[in-house]
Amino acid sequence: MRWRSDGAVEFLGRIDDQVKVRGYRIELGEIRAALVAHPQVTDATVVVSEDQRLIAYVVGSTDDLSSWLAASLPEYMVPSVFVGLDALPLTANGKIDRRALPDPEGSAEDTYVAPRTPTEERIAAVWSGVLGLERVGVEDNFFDLGGHSIKAIALVGALRAEGFEAGVRDVFQHRTVAGLATALTGTEPVTESAVVAPFALIGDEDRAKLPEGLVDAFPLAQVQLGMLVEMLADEGLNKYHNTTAFRIKDGRPFDVEALRRSGQAVVERHEMLRASFDLEGFAVPLQLIHASTVIPVTVQDLRGLDAEQQAAARRAHITAERAETFDLSRAPLLRISALVESDEAWWLSVSVCHPITEGWSHRTLLSDIVEGYLRVRGGETLREVPVPAVRYADFVAAELASLASDEDRNYWRDVLGSHAKFELPSGWGDPEPGHRANTVHVPLSDLTPALRAAASGTGTSLKAVLHAAHLKVMSQLTAEDSFCTGLVSSGRPEVVGAERVYGMYLNTVPFAYERGARTWRELIRQVFDQEGTLWPHRRFPMPVMQRELSDGTRLLDVRFSYLDLADAQAETDVVDTDSGDGEGATEFGLAVAARGSGLLLTVNPQVLGAAGAERIAAMYRSVLESMAADVEGDARQVFLPGGEREQVL
């Protein structure tokens, strides 16, 4: 997995099987393969405990497994504990249910609490379906079970389809089945939200001017419009024209027809992959959804080149793809290429116009293409995927409703009026900055178990923990007692199936921060609750805030985003997790993309030079180490890079 410099996360394959334990990078799949090679083992899985031990769960005999593995694996890859099972527990989707694995010491207490009322039973069933779990206890925390913002949207859509008057804010506030059952009891039942009919968002005059061959036309979302305006005026920087590439190790010769069929099937299923833009020909800028279009597929054969030449050819391909922008008036606004490395492996390259997808959509797009390719390449038929009734037009309709809402407009007016704008320190830019954004990675894999425990212990989410750390670091760079930085939020409709509809749903909103939290627990809870408060107003577009609620200066220079993409990845072991190339850009001075394994800081070199970015990265690491060590620790301390605190003192 890689973070692109525009904040979206690239799909590079499965990451579950590769972990870092006590400084060693370990392939859990390799350990499992060695286990099941034992004549008395029929199945196995390997996990890493919070205290960094390898635990093997095996179906079959556990006798002499240590010596068996030691004969073929290095010592650091031999599990310290072996647990025998009659069968591996599975989720409803057929995946390993890690929560159902027994405690290796036999001392874990079963915390499962079964539903006690009909309402709890109905809500628990919805949770199980959305999270893909066989069972959900009424006291289980939604975020501990793998829930996140996109899943919360899917959960609310499913709850509404079951007649519950629920919102995402309810999921933030009442994080258990029992809590939701109490909060929703007595509310008026609702039916699933109505979807917008084709062409319903434009006037009769514009409808009469539409070309033939369209299935819908509707206004651009404000974030799309802002991106397109910047694209047309960015003098060759191509900010929102993104190219990514990753390696497919299929073990079979590449099949261009399989790739073409897979890509075309995805285009036919998703409206936004058949969209074009018209910024001038109608009363308002429109996106036109075509009934059909053909995805361009090209192939470049690199098999006659050595490894260094192949790497150079891939870089040249990405550079050329980045330079070849799309004609916005013609669909599709994406194209794919295959760079054939050998008869066993090839690289998939995807170029896309960012206004038609965001991180979740882009990751799902890549996953869908790979899954379809593998099915066709293996002689199978493409999987039939039902198309949800909800469409991207429903998001546009929701944004238009927010623009007409005085409540939403006044909420953001109050936030911006009562908090200072956060500004990065002056004088930290490079004296001779280049045009390309710089990136700095802050690894967190060794802290992830403790940070997840902090999220669970505070009744929040890992996103809230990482966001709290971000705000703490920002507070060290300003003298303001309260300020706003940007938080990327998703405006997807809270309707069944919305999480499966491609589109650009992101809106960067001001997030209010105030000093005063004494402990990390207080700060994390403060940040988590604040996001729940702003959630109902998240669709009011930042470009409109900029026009109507600012003094003419840019409202936000820093942006934080978090996206858990585990559910969007392909169900395949053939994608090389260590591969990946891509290019993009950022319009922010500092853009922070976060997930459990680490942070990626993308900086504008005119604002933050390499030295400044490294200093800030060290601050993040120091803050998160303190959080991981003790959630009751003092959040009022100053956390400086190594050596700087000693110099100050």
Side-chain angles (χ1 to χ4, degrees):
M1 177 171 294
R2 296 279 194 276
W3 289 266
R4 295 203 306 272
S5 55
D6 65 349
V9 185
E10 303 172 12
F11 172 70
L12 299 177
R14 295 184 63 175
I15 62 172
D16 299 322
D17 282 348
Q18 190 178 84
V19 296
K20 195 171 183 181
V21 179
R22 304 187 189 281
Y24 296 101
R25 188 170 296 280
I26 294 175
E27 293 280 355
L28 298 183
E30 187 176 349
I31 304 174
R32 179 189 177 278
L35 284 168
V36 297
H38 192 284
Q40 295 183 8
V41 174
T42 59
D43 206 355
T45 190
V46 183
V47 301
V48 182
S49 66
E50 290 191 3
D51 57 358
Q52 293 284 284
R53 290 183 301 161
L54 291 171
I55 312 296
Y57 293 88
V58 299
V59 179
S61 173
T62 60
D63 295 339
D64 300 321
L65 287 182
S66 290
S67 56
W68 170 269
L69 295 178
S72 60
L73 299 176
E75 182 181 354
Y76 63 83
M77 290 181 66
V78 177
S80 58
V81 180
F82 297 86
V83 181
L85 300 174
D86 293 329
L88 295 177
L90 302 177
T91 67
N93 292 337
K95 302 177 183 178
I96 300 294
D97 187 354
R98 295 176 185 261
R99 295 179 60 253
L101 292 170
D103 182 76
E105 311 300 337
S107 59
E109 201 177 318
D110 188 359
T111 59
Y112 173 75
V113 179
R116 297 155 297 197
T117 66
T119 299
E120 288 184 347
E121 288 181 358
R122 291 172 60 203
I123 294 176
V126 172
W127 280 42
S128 296
V130 170
L131 295 171
L133 299 175
E134 188 174 350
R135 68 175 189 176
V136 171
V138 297
E139 298 297 341
D140 291 341
N141 186 307
F142 175 75
F143 297 98
D144 288 348
L145 298 178
H148 46 74
S149 296
I150 302 293
K151 281 292 186 184
I153 290 171
L155 176 65
V156 168
L159 287 170
R160 289 180 173 180
E162 285 292 315
F164 291 102
E165 178 55 81
V168 171
R169 187 176 183 181
D170 294 315
V171 180
F172 277 85
Q173 291 181 326
H174 313 286
R175 296 169 293 281
T176 65
V177 169
L180 269 180
T182 300
L184 301 181
T185 297
T187 58
E188 291 294 323
V190 296
T191 57
E192 187 173 348
S193 300
V195 297
V196 174
F199 306 104
L201 297 181
I202 62 174
D204 292 338
E205 185 175 337
D206 279 344
R207 193 178 306 184
K209 295 163 58 178
L210 292 173
E212 297 291 330
L214 301 182
V215 294
D216 198 6
F218 47 89
L220 273 73
Q222 289 291 312
V223 66
Q224 290 180 299
L225 182 58
M227 286 181 170
L228 292 173
V229 169
E230 286 195 49
M231 287 174 67
L232 295 173
D234 73 359
E235 298 180 349
L237 296 180
N238 301 344
K239 283 184 180 178
Y240 298 109
H241 176 84
N242 299 323
T243 297
T244 57
F246 56 99
R247 185 172 181 261
I248 308 294
K249 44 183 182 181
D250 188 10
R252 296 173 293 193
F254 170 72
D255 185 338
V256 64
E257 184 58 27
L259 180 60
R260 185 175 285 112
R261 285 179 56 190
S262 174
Q264 190 62 34
V266 176
V267 168
E268 292 171 359
R269 195 162 65 238
H270 291 277
E271 288 186 346
M272 290 308 294
L273 301 187
R274 291 181 273 113
S276 64
F277 299 115
D278 191 315
L279 303 184
E280 298 178 330
F282 299 91
V284 295
L286 294 183
Q287 43 202 327
L288 311 179
I289 310 301
H290 300 262
S292 64
T293 189
V294 177
I295 185 171
V297 178
T298 59
V299 180
Q300 187 175 350
D301 193 343
L302 308 181
R303 286 176 294 183
L305 307 179
D306 60 29
E308 185 175 339
Q309 291 171 326
Q310 287 186 350
R314 289 196 303 271
R315 289 193 295 271
H317 167 82
I318 291 173
T319 299
E321 281 291 306
R322 283 274 294 139
E324 187 181 349
T325 56
F326 294 99
D327 178 350
L328 299 177
S329 67
R330 299 182 62 184
L333 298 176
L334 81 158
R335 55 181 177 262
I336 57 179
S337 302
L339 287 74
V340 183
E341 174 184 299
S342 67
D343 287 339
E344 291 78 34
W346 57 283
W347 288 69
L348 172 63
S349 166
V350 178
S351 295
V352 64
C353 184
H354 197 6
I356 67 172
T357 63
E358 24 77 302
W360 180 272
S361 300
H362 189 73
R363 175 71 175 263
T364 309
L365 163 68
L366 298 173
S367 176
D368 288 346
I369 291 174
V370 172
E371 181 190 26
Y373 171 84
L374 293 174
R375 291 180 71 90
V376 175
R377 185 66 184 84
E380 303 177 57
T381 59
L382 287 168
R383 186 164 55 95
E384 290 191 15
V385 181
V387 178
V390 62
R391 301 180 300 118
Y392 187 69
D394 296 289
F395 163 70
V396 174
E399 181 180 273
L400 293 172
S402 181
L403 284 168
S405 167
D406 289 337
E407 181 182 357
D408 286 355
R409 182 174 274 98
N410 290 335
Y411 174 84
W412 293 114
R413 180 179 285 111
D414 290 344
V415 168
L416 293 168
S418 57
H419 297 82
K421 173 193 171 181
F422 175 83
E423 296 185 2
L424 289 163
S426 60
W428 282 30
D430 281 336
E432 296 182 6
H435 289 297
R436 291 189 57 179
N438 297 325
T439 59
V440 179
H441 183 228
V442 183
L444 298 177
S445 296
D446 59 322
L447 302 180
T448 300
L451 295 175
R452 290 192 183 278
S456 180
T458 55
T460 62
S461 64
L462 181 60
K463 174 185 179 180
V465 173
L466 298 177
H467 191 196
H470 164 70
L471 291 166
K472 171 61 180 178
V473 171
M474 295 300 98
S475 75
Q476 297 186 162
L477 303 176
T478 180
E480 300 288 352
D481 288 330
S482 65
F483 56 84
C484 285
T485 62
L487 173 66
V488 178
S489 63
S490 173
R492 284 177 184 264
E494 295 156 350
V495 180
V496 169
E499 76 279 5
R500 293 186 280 119
V501 179
Y502 296 176
M504 169 46 69
Y505 298 94
L506 302 184
N507 187 31
T508 302
V509 298
F511 191 93
Y513 173 84
E514 296 183 3
R515 300 181 192 272
R518 296 167 297 174
T519 66
W520 296 127
R521 177 185 296 276
E522 285 186 21
L523 178 58
I524 294 167
R525 284 293 325 179
Q526 172 187 319
V527 170
F528 183 82
D529 292 341
Q530 175 65 12
E531 184 174 0
T533 299
L534 71 79
W535 191 266
H537 312 286
R538 72 193 187 281
R539 293 193 181 101
F540 194 85
M542 169 50 65
V544 177
M545 294 187 213
Q546 183 69 51
R547 290 195 298 268
E548 296 185 3
L549 306 179
S550 78
D551 59 3
T553 60
R554 186 181 175 93
L555 284 175
L556 299 173
D557 289 334
V558 175
R559 182 206 69 193
F560 175 90
S561 62
Y562 176 88
L563 193 54
D564 188 338
L565 296 171
D567 300 301
Q569 68 187 37
E571 297 298 328
T572 173
D573 291 315
V574 303
V575 182
D576 189 343
T577 59
D578 289 329
S579 71
D581 289 304
E583 286 193 13
T586 180
E587 74 276 21
F588 291 88
L590 169 65
V592 181
R595 61 175 294 128
S597 58
L599 310 177
L600 190 80
L601 315 184
T602 303
V603 301
N604 180 339
Q606 295 179 335
V607 179
L608 278 178
E614 291 288 352
R615 289 184 70 198
I616 293 176
M619 292 182 196
Y620 278 110
R621 177 70 193 190
S622 182
V623 166
L624 286 160
E625 286 176 352
S626 179
M627 283 183 162
D630 183 8
V631 75
E632 305 297 344
D634 189 352
R636 296 168 295 187
Q637 293 186 40
V638 176
F639 296 84
L640 298 176
E644 287 194 19
R645 182 179 179 85
E646 289 73 14
Q647 292 178 25
V648 171
L649 293 175

